[in-house]
Amino acid sequence: MKLRQKIIVLAIAPLIVALIAIAFAVQYQATILAQQQRASVEAAYLASKEAELKHYVSLAERAIAHLYDSGRDDEATKNEAKAILAKLDYGDDGYFFLYNLEGRNLMHPRQPQLVGRDLWELRDPKGSPTIQRLIAQAKAGGGYVRYLWEKPSSGKLAPKLGYVIQMDRWGWMLGTGIYLDDVDAALAKIDTQISGNIRNTMLWIAGIAIASVLVIALSGLALNISEYRVADAKLRVLAQRVVRSQEEERARLSRDLHDGISQWLVSIKLQVESGIAKLIAQSNKPELARASFDRAAHQLNDVLGEVRRISHDLRPALLDDLGLAAALDHLTREFSENSGIATKFEVNGAIDGLTDVANTVFFRIAQETLTNIKRHANASNVIVRLAGDKTDVKLVVSDNGVGFDVAGIAQHPKRGIGLRNMHERVNAIGGKLELLSSSEGTQVTATLPRS
């Protein structure tokens, strides 16, 4: 796969993943919203029906109040009350019913075959004692009961919401109810509409995703074609620079090894061979051979010194020669002389116990921070503080410059490379780097553990 194709794929893949995630999130949220909406509609509908049922029962009470409150308990009065209640219907499936408290049906205008029957043990297909539950609710002060009952208009069992009260003096349970299959049908219609809306939303998201992918693919292809040559040229220049830098470093090391260490090693070899030859030829005069070995040992010391010098050139020499505090002090004085910015270095507490890597990280961070201050901060005063406690050592570099947008610089693809390098250096050895910046100045704090 070519570079531009990889770039296009890398551009499209996150978009597709994001759109899929958005689609799932939208579907999930829409489903939850639909459930909540359904529950709200159901609750509101049932609340209105419950209030309506309560009003119906109150109306029935008032219709026979003149008989119930008359104080007469004879059968003629009760039969008159039953006749009034039997006529108070509201539609094919709206009616009142009467039971005594032992479960005997006293009046049922839609199912007259039940009148006079003892229905105390009547149970629905689920085994629930319907009449017992109604009477218990009535004795408890009245209220609502859900149960299954035959719907007159269809002749089939349907869920029903009933409201019952107790008429104490006559020993009656008076009630009415509404069938809930109509409610279920209305809610099912709402569910169908919501499902259709969700499906349409998913189709819209899919269409937008396809269009976006096509636009990105075409735009990315055009951009990559135009930028490919420039990027490739820059990459070649950078590769050449890296190779040239490597070759220069290798050439320097080669010269040091050839001109210094190699020649010394040849001389040491000749001195050792000379000493061995003298020992063999004049074994009775070992002092002659010893002179050759002494010169070889002296040259070995020179070789070791040269090796140390080359090794020290590969990392900051100030750290090896002067230590971290002295190296930072020298760095700040040199920075102040070169930049003209007043720079102060402070040491608080013990700073020993750091590894060589930690010392190098601190030194590199100080170098990078001071370089950024000189280039961008427009500061007049800088403080470099090195402080240690029992567990950590902190390097704090603060200035009174103009500050910068930390988040914006960190996210910029062509800027903030130095900041990212600082973060990577600190994180690599288990430390922490904090940056605080405002119009009053910037503070960089690097914290590293002692071990």
Side-chain angles (χ1 to χ4, degrees), residues 14-310:
L15 175 64
I16 294 176
V17 172
L19 289 173
I20 291 174
I22 291 173
F24 278 112
V26 169
Q27 184 177 15
Y28 176 73
Q29 294 296 331
T31 302
I32 292 179
L33 181 61
Q35 294 173 351
Q36 294 174 347
Q37 181 179 359
R38 187 183 191 280
S40 299
V41 171
E42 183 179 11
Y45 190 81
L46 290 178
S48 66
K49 292 301 180 181
E50 288 175 354
E52 185 179 348
L53 288 177
K54 193 171 183 179
H55 292 157
Y56 284 158
V57 173
S58 297
L59 178 63
E61 283 188 289
R62 287 194 295 272
I64 61 174
H66 65 286
L67 300 174
Y68 187 76
D69 296 336
S70 65
R72 294 178 295 172
D73 297 332
D74 56 281
E75 288 300 321
T77 302
K78 293 180 180 180
N79 290 334
E80 185 178 354
K82 294 176 186 178
I84 293 173
L85 292 174
K87 295 178 181 179
L88 290 177
D89 58 4
Y90 46 97
D92 294 337
D93 300 319
Y95 56 88
F96 292 91
F97 51 81
L98 277 176
Y99 289 83
N100 64 18
L101 299 183
E102 287 75 34
R104 185 176 298 279
N105 186 279
L106 303 177
M107 185 271 297
H108 201 299
R110 294 294 184 272
Q111 293 176 296
Q113 69 274 14
L114 300 179
V115 178
R117 292 179 54 184
D118 183 1
L119 302 178
W120 180 261
E121 295 297 334
L122 179 66
R123 297 177 181 271
D124 62 18
K126 296 181 180 180
S128 177
T130 303
I131 305 304
Q132 294 180 32
R133 291 175 58 217
L134 291 170
I135 293 175
Q137 186 63 47
K139 289 182 178 180
Y144 303 96
V145 179
R146 286 197 180 198
Y147 58 98
L148 294 174
W149 198 264
E150 182 180 320
K151 187 175 183 180
S153 60
S154 64
K156 298 179 180 180
L157 285 178
K160 186 175 183 179
L161 176 65
Y163 182 78
V164 293
I165 62 171
Q166 180 179 350
M167 304 184 72
D168 297 330
R169 191 158 52 82
W170 287 355
W172 286 0
M173 176 191 71
L174 171 63
T176 187
I178 59 169
Y179 291 92
L180 300 178
D181 53 346
D182 295 335
V183 178
D184 294 338
L187 293 176
K189 185 177 180 180
I190 293 175
D191 292 339
T192 302
Q193 293 175 347
I194 292 175
S195 298
N197 291 336
I198 293 175
R199 183 172 58 256
N200 292 335
T201 302
M202 293 299 103
L203 292 176
W204 273 102
I205 292 176
I208 293 172
I210 294 173
S212 300
V213 168
L214 291 176
V215 170
I216 290 178
L218 295 176
S219 301
L221 182 60
L223 180 63
N224 286 330
I225 291 175
S226 63
E227 294 293 330
Y228 177 76
R229 292 182 179 178
V230 176
D232 189 57
K234 291 181 179 180
L235 184 61
R236 284 198 301 269
V237 171
L238 180 60
Q240 292 173 0
R241 187 178 303 171
V242 171
V243 171
R244 185 166 58 250
S245 176
Q246 291 177 343
E247 290 301 324
E248 289 175 356
E249 182 66 16
R250 289 173 180 175
R252 185 185 67 81
L253 289 175
S254 176
R255 286 193 302 270
D256 289 342
L257 293 174
H258 180 270
D259 297 341
I261 294 177
S262 178
Q263 293 181 6
W264 273 330
L265 289 177
V266 171
S267 177
I268 291 170
K269 176 179 178 293
L270 294 176
Q271 292 293 337
V272 172
E273 290 177 349
S274 174
I276 293 173
K278 289 178 182 179
L279 281 177
I280 295 174
Q282 301 178 11
S283 58
N284 57 342
K285 294 180 180 182
E287 63 276 4
L288 297 177
R290 180 176 180 179
S292 297
F293 290 130
D294 288 341
R295 286 193 297 272
H298 179 72
Q299 290 178 345
L300 277 176
N301 288 331
D302 293 338
V303 171
L304 291 175
E306 183 69 10
V307 170
R308 283 194 296 269
R309 184 189 67 79
I310 295 173

